[in-house]
Amino acid sequence: MAPSLEVEDLGAPATKPTPEVKALDDKYREEREKRLNKSGTSQFREAKGKLARFAIDPWTEEIVRDPVNEDVEVLIVGGGFGGLLAATRLIDAGVDDIRIVDKAGDFGGVWYWNRYPGVECDTEAYIYLPLLEETKYVPTAKFAPGAEIHAHALNIAKMNNLQAKAHFRTEVLSLTWSDSLARWVATTSRGDTIRARFVISAIGILHKLHLPGIQGIENFAGHSFHSGRWDFAYTGGDRFNAPLDKIRGKRIGIVGTGASSIQALPHLARSGAEVYVFQRTPSSVDAKPNPPTDRTWFESLQPGWQEHRAENFERILSGQPQDIDLVNDGWTHFMLAMEALGKDSSTPMDDILKKVDIKAMESLRSRVEEIVKDKKTAEALKPWYGRLCKRPCFHNEYLDCFNYPNVHLIHTDGKGVDKVSEKGVVSNGKEFELDCIIYATGFDWGTDYSQRANMTIKGRNGLTLTEKWEDGPSTLHGIIGRDFPNFLTFTHLQSSTSPNYTGLLSERAKHAAYLISEAKKRGIRTIEPTEEAEAAWVKRMEDVAIARLGYFKECTPGYLNSEGTLSPSTARGASLGLDSPVYNEMLDKWRKAGTMEGIEIDRK
Ligand code: NDP
């Protein structure tokens, strides 16, 4: 039985929980323990060998070209928003000799790959879509669909003439530092050799799809694909949400209930004959009001508005009082509720977070009950974990799908599906015969960086990045590391955190452009952190992560807590950095000082 809870009764600090809070803590722990998996982030199967077809690019024909052998100033690995922003800022700073390499057939990163029906972004478009003032683009609504976001990425590329600087359908296989050349030497899947003075590794965080760690995926006799490579040829429809007319009469299974599955389900439910949703852990799903853009308002915005709006969002999220909540969405409401409770209160912040968190989750569990008519199904769809444990989802139709007679929730109660057979999915010991299985099982997030990048990265004296990061990442500012001169990474590690990932990328791009253009101006051959500066930064990031671990280590497993394996000893690799405004201000001050503090400079 779910514990009943009167949120207003939660006056006592969490150190002395009320019986209701204690019951809830027990319930959360019980649900977490069901889901802990010894294999952690390595539980998944990669799309390689017999499963390699799951990763094939369905969107672009094979590109035929001869291998190139070239020298450039900057090689950018990745043509998503990270690569696009880096290129834009470099060009602004006068560095034009750029090569962008991406395994995709065009720019756009995750928005190139993810074209499943219903795909959209649940971070507000006015802050998520970068460079709106520069491109003069007006988003159609508060939350933009994937096709629109992808078109915007292509627009940014066009604005900067980046097409001519890109090699698509090309994977960088290795990056090796040559001390004698003072260049990185890249080899690619096309037989290219590219020598670059600087490398920016903007590979993204959700680019390498993975499949569930179960047997039999390769034996299924029906059709199957991953949500990140949607097969419209099979389902019918398109990325603009035309009906999936080819699955009428078909039995469809979708494995996974994260953000992708939630957005795709309503489309499957409208067309599929029978739709089976295999759930390991329910997502929390809030409503998503999405008004169209008021053009009069948009046109009245003053220069500098986008940075100001994004900053307002980040400051609210980091608990800095603001006169106004410009973005006014689920994220800011959550933080503002905390602030309101914390005002004039001597209650510790952790207890306030708990109180607000419980209230928010109770309201989301009630939302399930209000929408889903069948009691047993509603119970199984309730999320039993803290609000920030998994990426919160927002959708107006998802829960209602479970009222459709053709949609069946197969709740595995934390166990996940058992296996795939020739005929379908075996779950809770029962075989569900299917015509098609869609794996909405997410992306590789927490494994070794080089594994996720699919590149061998060798710094000075043949030291690989995997060896250097054996005990966890080691960087200065999350961007540059010793023994890997002139190699800049854009990651979520040892830096700052935000649900607005393009906001983080904007800051990384600004910093990378500064480092590279200054090196050029000052005649610098190589830059890398001093041992002391890197060690101090790693220690600082470790302390920040450990201070924040409390919340996440108690969380149900998910990619945000490395599938439940987060602990003080792994804190170095946690994506729990500084609040964005703190990080951004620190880097801004660092750049303004102009001394490149903590960086060893070689001018030889
Ligand atoms: P997720 O990693 O969020 O979800 C994967 C799903 O697969 C989870 O429900 C997971 O269950 C389930 N799963 C994994 N293994 C098994 C198994 N063996 N049996 C059954 N189920 C299994 O992937 P998504 O593609 O949904 O989303 C990835 C991320 O992309 C999001 O979290 C978000 O950050 C981003 N995204 C953002 C969007 C936006 O609007 N901003 C839209 C779409 C994606 P469990 O929870 O138990 O691990």
Side-chain angles (χ1 to χ4, degrees), residues 35 43-44 111 114 116 119-123 128 206 210-214 226-227 255-263 278-283 288 390-391 393 412 414-418 440-443 445 499 556-559 563:
R35 290 168 172 84
Q43 68 181 275
F44 298 98
W111 301 104
N114 286 279
Y116 58 82
V119 58
E120 57 182 41
C121 185
D122 52 25
T123 303
Y128 181 81
L206 295 168
H210 61 205
L211 294 152
I214 50 170
H226 188 278
S227 57
V255 183
T257 50
S260 302
S261 174
I262 279 168
Q263 294 179 338
F278 297 92
Q279 170 180 276
R280 189 163 71 175
T281 310
S283 281
K288 185 174 179 182
K390 285 187 177 282
R391 173 94 187 186
C393 293
T412 65
K415 291 188 290 294
V417 295
D418 303 342
T441 44
F443 304 87
W445 164 285
T556 192
Y559 69 82
E563 302 298 334

Short mmCIF file of all heavy atoms in Angstrom, two decimals, residues 35 43-44 111 114 116 119-123 128 206 210-214 226-227 255-263 278-283 288 390-391 393 412 414-418 440-443 445 499 556-559 563, ligand 1:
data_model
loop_
_atom_site.label_atom_id
_atom_site.label_comp_id
_atom_site.label_asym_id
_atom_site.label_seq_id
_atom_site.Cartn_x
_atom_site.Cartn_y
_atom_site.Cartn_z
N ARG A 35 15.53 -2.14 -8.00
CA ARG A 35 16.10 -1.76 -9.31
C ARG A 35 17.62 -1.76 -9.35
O ARG A 35 18.19 -1.61 -10.42
CB ARG A 35 15.57 -0.36 -9.70
CG ARG A 35 14.10 -0.41 -10.03
CD ARG A 35 13.45 0.94 -10.14
NE ARG A 35 12.08 0.77 -10.64
CZ ARG A 35 11.03 0.47 -9.88
NH1 ARG A 35 11.18 0.30 -8.58
NH2 ARG A 35 9.84 0.30 -10.43
N GLN A 43 25.34 -2.41 -17.75
CA GLN A 43 24.29 -3.41 -17.93
C GLN A 43 23.75 -3.45 -19.37
O GLN A 43 23.11 -4.42 -19.77
CB GLN A 43 23.11 -3.12 -17.00
CG GLN A 43 22.37 -1.85 -17.35
CD GLN A 43 21.21 -1.54 -16.43
OE1 GLN A 43 20.12 -2.04 -16.62
NE2 GLN A 43 21.46 -0.73 -15.43
N PHE A 44 23.98 -2.37 -20.14
CA PHE A 44 23.33 -2.27 -21.45
C PHE A 44 24.15 -2.96 -22.54
O PHE A 44 25.32 -3.25 -22.36
CB PHE A 44 23.13 -0.78 -21.80
CG PHE A 44 22.22 -0.09 -20.83
CD1 PHE A 44 22.72 0.66 -19.78
CD2 PHE A 44 20.84 -0.23 -20.93
CE1 PHE A 44 21.88 1.28 -18.87
CE2 PHE A 44 19.99 0.38 -20.02
CZ PHE A 44 20.51 1.13 -18.99
N TRP A 111 19.32 16.13 -32.38
CA TRP A 111 18.12 16.52 -33.13
C TRP A 111 18.18 16.04 -34.57
O TRP A 111 17.18 16.07 -35.29
CB TRP A 111 17.90 18.05 -33.03
CG TRP A 111 17.77 18.43 -31.60
CD1 TRP A 111 18.72 19.04 -30.82
CD2 TRP A 111 16.67 18.15 -30.72
NE1 TRP A 111 18.26 19.18 -29.53
CE2 TRP A 111 17.01 18.65 -29.44
CE3 TRP A 111 15.42 17.55 -30.89
CZ2 TRP A 111 16.15 18.55 -28.34
CZ3 TRP A 111 14.56 17.46 -29.80
CH2 TRP A 111 14.94 17.95 -28.55
N ASN A 114 17.27 11.97 -33.46
CA ASN A 114 15.96 11.66 -32.84
C ASN A 114 14.81 12.31 -33.60
O ASN A 114 14.52 13.49 -33.43
CB ASN A 114 15.97 12.11 -31.38
CG ASN A 114 16.79 11.18 -30.53
OD1 ASN A 114 16.33 10.11 -30.11
ND2 ASN A 114 18.05 11.55 -30.32
N TYR A 116 11.75 10.59 -33.83
CA TYR A 116 10.57 9.77 -33.52
C TYR A 116 9.33 10.66 -33.46
O TYR A 116 9.43 11.87 -33.19
CB TYR A 116 10.78 8.98 -32.22
CG TYR A 116 11.09 9.82 -31.00
CD1 TYR A 116 10.07 10.44 -30.28
CD2 TYR A 116 12.39 10.00 -30.56
CE1 TYR A 116 10.34 11.20 -29.17
CE2 TYR A 116 12.67 10.76 -29.44
CZ TYR A 116 11.64 11.36 -28.76
OH TYR A 116 11.92 12.14 -27.66
N VAL A 119 8.60 13.91 -31.03
CA VAL A 119 9.81 14.40 -30.37
C VAL A 119 9.77 15.92 -30.22
O VAL A 119 9.47 16.64 -31.16
CB VAL A 119 11.10 13.96 -31.13
CG1 VAL A 119 11.11 14.44 -32.57
CG2 VAL A 119 12.35 14.44 -30.40
N GLU A 120 10.00 16.37 -29.01
CA GLU A 120 10.12 17.80 -28.78
C GLU A 120 10.97 18.05 -27.54
O GLU A 120 11.33 17.12 -26.84
CB GLU A 120 8.76 18.48 -28.68
CG GLU A 120 7.82 17.97 -27.63
CD GLU A 120 6.47 18.69 -27.65
OE1 GLU A 120 5.94 18.95 -28.76
OE2 GLU A 120 5.95 18.99 -26.57
N CYS A 121 11.27 19.30 -27.32
CA CYS A 121 12.14 19.64 -26.20
C CYS A 121 11.30 20.19 -25.06
O CYS A 121 10.43 21.02 -25.29
CB CYS A 121 13.16 20.68 -26.63
SG CYS A 121 14.34 21.01 -25.33
N ASP A 122 11.58 19.73 -23.85
CA ASP A 122 10.81 20.27 -22.74
C ASP A 122 11.58 21.32 -21.96
O ASP A 122 11.20 21.68 -20.85
CB ASP A 122 10.23 19.16 -21.85
CG ASP A 122 11.27 18.18 -21.42
OD1 ASP A 122 12.44 18.58 -21.38
OD2 ASP A 122 10.92 17.03 -21.11
N THR A 123 12.63 21.83 -22.55
CA THR A 123 13.24 23.07 -22.02
C THR A 123 12.72 24.18 -22.92
O THR A 123 12.64 24.01 -24.14
CB THR A 123 14.78 23.00 -22.10
OG1 THR A 123 15.21 21.85 -21.40
CG2 THR A 123 15.42 24.24 -21.48
N TYR A 128 16.39 27.48 -24.93
CA TYR A 128 17.08 26.27 -25.41
C TYR A 128 17.69 26.46 -26.80
O TYR A 128 18.79 26.00 -27.08
CB TYR A 128 16.12 25.06 -25.43
CG TYR A 128 16.83 23.81 -25.89
CD1 TYR A 128 17.61 23.07 -25.00
CD2 TYR A 128 16.78 23.40 -27.22
CE1 TYR A 128 18.32 21.96 -25.42
CE2 TYR A 128 17.49 22.29 -27.65
CZ TYR A 128 18.24 21.56 -26.75
OH TYR A 128 18.95 20.47 -27.18
N LEU A 206 24.34 12.31 -25.25
CA LEU A 206 23.30 11.32 -25.51
C LEU A 206 23.35 10.88 -26.97
O LEU A 206 22.36 10.90 -27.67
CB LEU A 206 21.91 11.93 -25.21
CG LEU A 206 21.61 12.32 -23.77
CD1 LEU A 206 20.34 13.15 -23.70
CD2 LEU A 206 21.46 11.09 -22.89
N HIS A 210 21.94 2.83 -26.72
CA HIS A 210 22.19 1.48 -26.21
C HIS A 210 20.89 0.70 -26.08
O HIS A 210 19.79 1.26 -26.11
CB HIS A 210 23.04 1.47 -24.93
CG HIS A 210 22.45 2.17 -23.75
ND1 HIS A 210 23.22 2.68 -22.73
CD2 HIS A 210 21.18 2.46 -23.41
CE1 HIS A 210 22.44 3.23 -21.83
NE2 HIS A 210 21.21 3.11 -22.23
N LEU A 211 21.07 -0.61 -25.97
CA LEU A 211 19.94 -1.55 -25.95
C LEU A 211 19.90 -2.22 -24.59
O LEU A 211 20.92 -2.27 -23.88
CB LEU A 211 20.13 -2.58 -27.07
CG LEU A 211 20.05 -1.94 -28.46
CD1 LEU A 211 20.88 -2.70 -29.48
CD2 LEU A 211 18.61 -1.83 -28.92
N PRO A 212 18.75 -2.76 -24.20
CA PRO A 212 18.70 -3.37 -22.87
C PRO A 212 19.64 -4.56 -22.75
O PRO A 212 19.93 -5.24 -23.74
CB PRO A 212 17.23 -3.81 -22.73
CG PRO A 212 16.65 -3.76 -24.09
CD PRO A 212 17.47 -2.80 -24.90
N GLY A 213 20.10 -4.79 -21.53
CA GLY A 213 21.06 -5.88 -21.30
C GLY A 213 20.36 -7.22 -21.19
O GLY A 213 20.41 -7.86 -20.14
N ILE A 214 19.70 -7.63 -22.23
CA ILE A 214 18.96 -8.89 -22.21
C ILE A 214 19.33 -9.74 -23.42
O ILE A 214 19.86 -9.22 -24.40
CB ILE A 214 17.42 -8.64 -22.22
CG1 ILE A 214 17.05 -7.66 -23.35
CG2 ILE A 214 16.94 -8.15 -20.88
CD1 ILE A 214 15.58 -7.55 -23.60
N HIS A 226 15.52 1.16 -32.72
CA HIS A 226 15.68 1.99 -31.52
C HIS A 226 14.97 3.32 -31.77
O HIS A 226 14.94 3.81 -32.92
CB HIS A 226 17.18 2.22 -31.26
CG HIS A 226 17.48 2.89 -29.96
ND1 HIS A 226 17.41 4.26 -29.78
CD2 HIS A 226 17.88 2.39 -28.76
CE1 HIS A 226 17.73 4.57 -28.53
NE2 HIS A 226 18.03 3.45 -27.88
N SER A 227 14.44 3.92 -30.71
CA SER A 227 13.71 5.19 -30.89
C SER A 227 14.59 6.28 -31.51
O SER A 227 14.07 7.18 -32.18
CB SER A 227 13.17 5.69 -29.54
OG SER A 227 14.24 5.84 -28.61
N VAL A 255 9.81 -0.77 -25.42
CA VAL A 255 10.54 -1.09 -24.17
C VAL A 255 11.15 0.21 -23.65
O VAL A 255 11.90 0.87 -24.37
CB VAL A 255 11.65 -2.13 -24.42
CG1 VAL A 255 12.34 -2.51 -23.11
CG2 VAL A 255 11.09 -3.37 -25.11
N GLY A 256 10.85 0.54 -22.41
CA GLY A 256 11.37 1.77 -21.82
C GLY A 256 10.28 2.81 -21.71
O GLY A 256 9.37 2.88 -22.56
N THR A 257 10.36 3.60 -20.63
CA THR A 257 9.34 4.63 -20.39
C THR A 257 10.00 5.95 -19.98
O THR A 257 9.52 6.64 -19.08
CB THR A 257 8.34 4.17 -19.31
OG1 THR A 257 9.09 3.70 -18.18
CG2 THR A 257 7.43 3.07 -19.79
N GLY A 258 11.12 6.28 -20.64
CA GLY A 258 11.76 7.58 -20.43
C GLY A 258 11.12 8.63 -21.33
O GLY A 258 10.06 8.39 -21.93
N ALA A 259 11.76 9.78 -21.45
CA ALA A 259 11.18 10.91 -22.19
C ALA A 259 10.84 10.55 -23.64
O ALA A 259 9.82 10.99 -24.17
CB ALA A 259 12.14 12.09 -22.16
N SER A 260 11.69 9.73 -24.29
CA SER A 260 11.43 9.40 -25.70
C SER A 260 10.15 8.58 -25.83
O SER A 260 9.30 8.86 -26.67
CB SER A 260 12.59 8.59 -26.29
OG SER A 260 13.79 9.29 -26.20
N SER A 261 10.03 7.55 -25.00
CA SER A 261 8.86 6.68 -25.05
C SER A 261 7.58 7.47 -24.77
O SER A 261 6.55 7.29 -25.43
CB SER A 261 9.05 5.56 -24.02
OG SER A 261 7.91 4.78 -23.92
N ILE A 262 7.69 8.36 -23.80
CA ILE A 262 6.51 9.14 -23.40
C ILE A 262 6.00 10.01 -24.54
O ILE A 262 4.80 10.14 -24.78
CB ILE A 262 6.88 9.95 -22.14
CG1 ILE A 262 6.75 9.00 -20.96
CG2 ILE A 262 6.03 11.20 -21.95
CD1 ILE A 262 7.30 9.47 -19.70
N GLN A 263 6.96 10.58 -25.28
CA GLN A 263 6.54 11.45 -26.39
C GLN A 263 6.03 10.63 -27.58
O GLN A 263 5.16 11.08 -28.32
CB GLN A 263 7.72 12.34 -26.80
CG GLN A 263 8.10 13.32 -25.69
CD GLN A 263 9.26 14.21 -26.04
OE1 GLN A 263 10.08 13.90 -26.90
NE2 GLN A 263 9.37 15.34 -25.36
N PHE A 278 6.42 -1.75 -22.09
CA PHE A 278 7.18 -2.50 -21.09
C PHE A 278 7.91 -1.52 -20.18
O PHE A 278 8.82 -0.81 -20.61
CB PHE A 278 8.16 -3.46 -21.77
CG PHE A 278 7.44 -4.51 -22.59
CD1 PHE A 278 7.19 -4.31 -23.94
CD2 PHE A 278 6.98 -5.67 -21.98
CE1 PHE A 278 6.51 -5.25 -24.69
CE2 PHE A 278 6.29 -6.63 -22.72
CZ PHE A 278 6.05 -6.42 -24.09
N GLN A 279 7.50 -1.49 -18.93
CA GLN A 279 7.99 -0.47 -18.00
C GLN A 279 8.85 -1.09 -16.89
O GLN A 279 8.43 -2.03 -16.23
CB GLN A 279 6.79 0.24 -17.37
CG GLN A 279 7.14 1.15 -16.21
CD GLN A 279 5.92 1.83 -15.61
OE1 GLN A 279 5.48 2.86 -16.10
NE2 GLN A 279 5.37 1.26 -14.55
N ARG A 280 10.06 -0.52 -16.72
CA ARG A 280 10.87 -0.94 -15.56
C ARG A 280 10.63 0.04 -14.41
O ARG A 280 10.33 -0.35 -13.31
CB ARG A 280 12.35 -0.97 -15.96
CG ARG A 280 13.22 -1.60 -14.91
CD ARG A 280 14.58 -2.00 -15.43
NE ARG A 280 15.44 -0.85 -15.71
CZ ARG A 280 16.70 -0.96 -16.10
NH1 ARG A 280 17.24 -2.17 -16.26
NH2 ARG A 280 17.43 0.11 -16.33
N THR A 281 10.74 1.35 -14.73
CA THR A 281 10.47 2.38 -13.71
C THR A 281 9.58 3.44 -14.35
O THR A 281 9.91 3.93 -15.44
CB THR A 281 11.79 3.07 -13.26
OG1 THR A 281 12.73 2.07 -12.93
CG2 THR A 281 11.57 3.97 -12.07
N PRO A 282 8.48 3.80 -13.69
CA PRO A 282 7.66 4.86 -14.30
C PRO A 282 8.37 6.21 -14.24
O PRO A 282 9.08 6.49 -13.28
CB PRO A 282 6.40 4.88 -13.43
CG PRO A 282 6.66 4.01 -12.26
CD PRO A 282 7.97 3.30 -12.42
N SER A 283 8.17 7.02 -15.26
CA SER A 283 8.66 8.41 -15.21
C SER A 283 7.66 9.25 -14.44
O SER A 283 6.49 8.90 -14.32
CB SER A 283 8.77 8.97 -16.64
OG SER A 283 9.92 8.51 -17.27
N LYS A 288 2.06 19.89 -19.58
CA LYS A 288 2.97 20.74 -20.36
C LYS A 288 2.19 21.77 -21.16
O LYS A 288 1.96 21.60 -22.36
CB LYS A 288 3.78 19.83 -21.29
CG LYS A 288 4.85 20.55 -22.08
CD LYS A 288 5.67 19.54 -22.84
CE LYS A 288 6.74 20.15 -23.66
NZ LYS A 288 7.49 19.15 -24.42
N LYS A 390 15.27 11.33 -11.73
CA LYS A 390 15.26 11.06 -13.17
C LYS A 390 14.83 12.34 -13.85
O LYS A 390 14.16 13.17 -13.24
CB LYS A 390 14.23 9.96 -13.49
CG LYS A 390 14.71 8.59 -13.08
CD LYS A 390 13.76 7.53 -13.57
CE LYS A 390 14.26 6.15 -13.22
NZ LYS A 390 15.33 5.66 -14.10
N ARG A 391 15.20 12.46 -15.11
CA ARG A 391 14.80 13.67 -15.85
C ARG A 391 13.26 13.78 -15.79
O ARG A 391 12.55 12.89 -16.28
CB ARG A 391 15.27 13.55 -17.29
CG ARG A 391 14.78 14.63 -18.21
CD ARG A 391 15.75 15.75 -18.34
NE ARG A 391 15.17 16.85 -19.10
CZ ARG A 391 15.84 17.93 -19.47
NH1 ARG A 391 17.11 18.07 -19.16
NH2 ARG A 391 15.26 18.89 -20.14
N CYS A 393 9.57 14.43 -16.70
CA CYS A 393 8.93 14.46 -18.02
C CYS A 393 7.67 15.33 -17.95
O CYS A 393 7.06 15.47 -16.89
CB CYS A 393 8.56 13.05 -18.45
SG CYS A 393 10.00 12.03 -18.76
N THR A 412 6.98 -4.25 -15.00
CA THR A 412 7.89 -5.33 -14.60
C THR A 412 8.37 -5.13 -13.16
O THR A 412 9.25 -5.86 -12.70
CB THR A 412 9.11 -5.40 -15.54
OG1 THR A 412 9.86 -4.18 -15.39
CG2 THR A 412 8.69 -5.55 -16.99
N GLY A 414 10.31 -3.04 -11.69
CA GLY A 414 11.74 -2.80 -11.48
C GLY A 414 12.66 -3.83 -12.09
O GLY A 414 13.87 -3.64 -12.14
N LYS A 415 12.09 -4.95 -12.54
CA LYS A 415 12.97 -6.03 -13.02
C LYS A 415 13.42 -5.82 -14.47
O LYS A 415 14.46 -6.30 -14.88
CB LYS A 415 12.25 -7.38 -12.93
CG LYS A 415 12.01 -7.85 -11.49
CD LYS A 415 11.48 -9.26 -11.42
CE LYS A 415 10.05 -9.37 -11.94
NZ LYS A 415 9.04 -8.67 -11.12
N GLY A 416 12.63 -5.13 -15.25
CA GLY A 416 12.92 -5.01 -16.68
C GLY A 416 12.42 -6.24 -17.40
O GLY A 416 12.01 -7.23 -16.77
N VAL A 417 12.45 -6.18 -18.70
CA VAL A 417 11.94 -7.33 -19.47
C VAL A 417 12.93 -8.50 -19.34
O VAL A 417 14.12 -8.29 -19.15
CB VAL A 417 11.69 -6.97 -20.95
CG1 VAL A 417 10.58 -5.93 -21.06
CG2 VAL A 417 12.94 -6.44 -21.62
N ASP A 418 12.41 -9.73 -19.42
CA ASP A 418 13.26 -10.91 -19.18
C ASP A 418 14.19 -11.17 -20.36
O ASP A 418 15.38 -11.35 -20.21
CB ASP A 418 12.42 -12.18 -18.97
CG ASP A 418 11.43 -12.03 -17.82
OD1 ASP A 418 11.64 -11.12 -16.99
OD2 ASP A 418 10.45 -12.80 -17.77
N ALA A 440 13.13 1.98 -26.65
CA ALA A 440 13.30 3.37 -26.23
C ALA A 440 14.11 3.33 -24.94
O ALA A 440 13.68 3.80 -23.88
CB ALA A 440 11.94 4.02 -26.02
N THR A 441 15.29 2.72 -25.05
CA THR A 441 16.06 2.40 -23.85
C THR A 441 17.26 3.32 -23.64
O THR A 441 18.15 3.01 -22.85
CB THR A 441 16.52 0.93 -23.91
OG1 THR A 441 17.00 0.64 -25.23
CG2 THR A 441 15.38 -0.01 -23.58
N GLY A 442 17.28 4.43 -24.34
CA GLY A 442 18.22 5.48 -24.00
C GLY A 442 19.61 5.36 -24.58
O GLY A 442 19.85 4.63 -25.56
N PHE A 443 20.53 6.07 -23.93
CA PHE A 443 21.86 6.32 -24.49
C PHE A 443 22.93 6.11 -23.43
O PHE A 443 22.67 6.25 -22.23
CB PHE A 443 21.92 7.75 -25.03
CG PHE A 443 20.84 8.01 -26.04
CD1 PHE A 443 19.57 8.43 -25.64
CD2 PHE A 443 21.05 7.75 -27.38
CE1 PHE A 443 18.55 8.62 -26.55
CE2 PHE A 443 20.03 7.94 -28.31
CZ PHE A 443 18.79 8.37 -27.90
N TRP A 445 25.69 6.97 -21.13
CA TRP A 445 25.93 8.24 -20.45
C TRP A 445 27.11 8.13 -19.50
O TRP A 445 27.97 9.00 -19.45
CB TRP A 445 24.64 8.62 -19.70
CG TRP A 445 24.74 9.67 -18.65
CD1 TRP A 445 25.27 9.53 -17.39
CD2 TRP A 445 24.29 11.02 -18.73
NE1 TRP A 445 25.16 10.71 -16.70
CE2 TRP A 445 24.56 11.64 -17.49
CE3 TRP A 445 23.66 11.77 -19.72
CZ2 TRP A 445 24.24 12.97 -17.21
CZ3 TRP A 445 23.34 13.09 -19.43
CH2 TRP A 445 23.63 13.68 -18.20
N PRO A 499 19.41 21.91 -16.46
CA PRO A 499 18.56 21.16 -17.39
C PRO A 499 18.61 21.75 -18.79
O PRO A 499 18.17 21.12 -19.74
CB PRO A 499 17.16 21.29 -16.79
CG PRO A 499 17.23 22.36 -15.78
CD PRO A 499 18.66 22.65 -15.45
N THR A 556 16.50 6.31 -7.01
CA THR A 556 16.31 5.11 -7.81
C THR A 556 17.34 5.14 -8.95
O THR A 556 17.71 6.22 -9.42
CB THR A 556 14.86 5.08 -8.36
OG1 THR A 556 14.61 3.79 -8.89
CG2 THR A 556 14.61 6.11 -9.43
N PRO A 557 17.84 3.98 -9.39
CA PRO A 557 18.89 4.02 -10.43
C PRO A 557 18.42 4.69 -11.71
O PRO A 557 17.27 4.56 -12.11
CB PRO A 557 19.19 2.54 -10.68
CG PRO A 557 18.69 1.82 -9.48
CD PRO A 557 17.54 2.61 -8.96
N GLY A 558 19.32 5.38 -12.32
CA GLY A 558 19.04 6.05 -13.58
C GLY A 558 20.35 6.63 -14.07
O GLY A 558 21.37 6.53 -13.37
N TYR A 559 20.33 7.26 -15.24
CA TYR A 559 21.62 7.73 -15.74
C TYR A 559 22.17 8.89 -14.93
O TYR A 559 23.36 9.13 -14.91
CB TYR A 559 21.57 8.01 -17.25
CG TYR A 559 20.73 9.19 -17.68
CD1 TYR A 559 21.25 10.47 -17.62
CD2 TYR A 559 19.45 9.02 -18.17
CE1 TYR A 559 20.49 11.55 -18.03
CE2 TYR A 559 18.69 10.09 -18.58
CZ TYR A 559 19.21 11.36 -18.50
OH TYR A 559 18.46 12.43 -18.89
N GLU A 563 23.28 4.84 -12.67
CA GLU A 563 22.50 3.61 -12.43
C GLU A 563 22.67 3.13 -10.98
O GLU A 563 22.78 1.93 -10.72
CB GLU A 563 22.88 2.50 -13.43
CG GLU A 563 22.69 2.88 -14.90
CD GLU A 563 21.24 3.20 -15.29
OE1 GLU A 563 20.31 2.71 -14.63
OE2 GLU A 563 21.06 3.98 -16.25
P1 NDP B 1 16.07 7.09 -20.90
O1 NDP B 1 17.43 6.65 -20.55
O2 NDP B 1 15.53 8.28 -20.20
O3 NDP B 1 15.03 5.93 -20.71
C1 NDP B 1 15.35 4.60 -21.00
C2 NDP B 1 14.22 3.73 -20.56
O4 NDP B 1 14.53 2.38 -20.85
C3 NDP B 1 13.96 3.81 -19.06
O5 NDP B 1 12.60 3.83 -18.84
C4 NDP B 1 14.60 2.52 -18.57
O6 NDP B 1 14.09 2.06 -17.35
C5 NDP B 1 14.24 1.60 -19.71
N1 NDP B 1 15.00 0.36 -19.70
C6 NDP B 1 16.33 0.18 -19.75
N2 NDP B 1 16.63 -1.12 -19.69
C7 NDP B 1 15.47 -1.78 -19.61
C8 NDP B 1 15.11 -3.15 -19.52
N3 NDP B 1 16.04 -4.08 -19.47
N4 NDP B 1 13.79 -3.45 -19.47
C9 NDP B 1 12.85 -2.49 -19.51
N5 NDP B 1 13.14 -1.19 -19.58
C10 NDP B 1 14.42 -0.84 -19.63
O7 NDP B 1 16.06 7.28 -22.50
P2 NDP B 1 15.19 8.27 -23.40
O8 NDP B 1 15.58 8.03 -24.80
O9 NDP B 1 13.77 8.20 -23.05
O10 NDP B 1 15.70 9.69 -22.97
C11 NDP B 1 17.08 9.97 -22.83
C12 NDP B 1 17.24 11.38 -22.35
O11 NDP B 1 17.12 12.20 -23.50
C13 NDP B 1 16.18 11.93 -21.42
O12 NDP B 1 16.28 11.59 -20.12
C14 NDP B 1 16.36 13.40 -21.64
O13 NDP B 1 17.42 13.90 -20.89
C15 NDP B 1 16.65 13.43 -23.11
N6 NDP B 1 15.40 13.71 -23.80
C16 NDP B 1 14.94 14.96 -23.61
C17 NDP B 1 13.81 15.32 -24.19
C18 NDP B 1 13.35 16.70 -23.94
O14 NDP B 1 12.22 16.98 -24.20
N7 NDP B 1 14.20 17.59 -23.42
C19 NDP B 1 13.03 14.43 -25.05
C20 NDP B 1 13.59 13.11 -25.16
C21 NDP B 1 14.75 12.79 -24.55
P3 NDP B 1 14.66 2.60 -15.94
O15 NDP B 1 14.04 3.94 -15.76
O16 NDP B 1 14.26 1.61 -14.96
O17 NDP B 1 16.16 2.69 -16.09
#
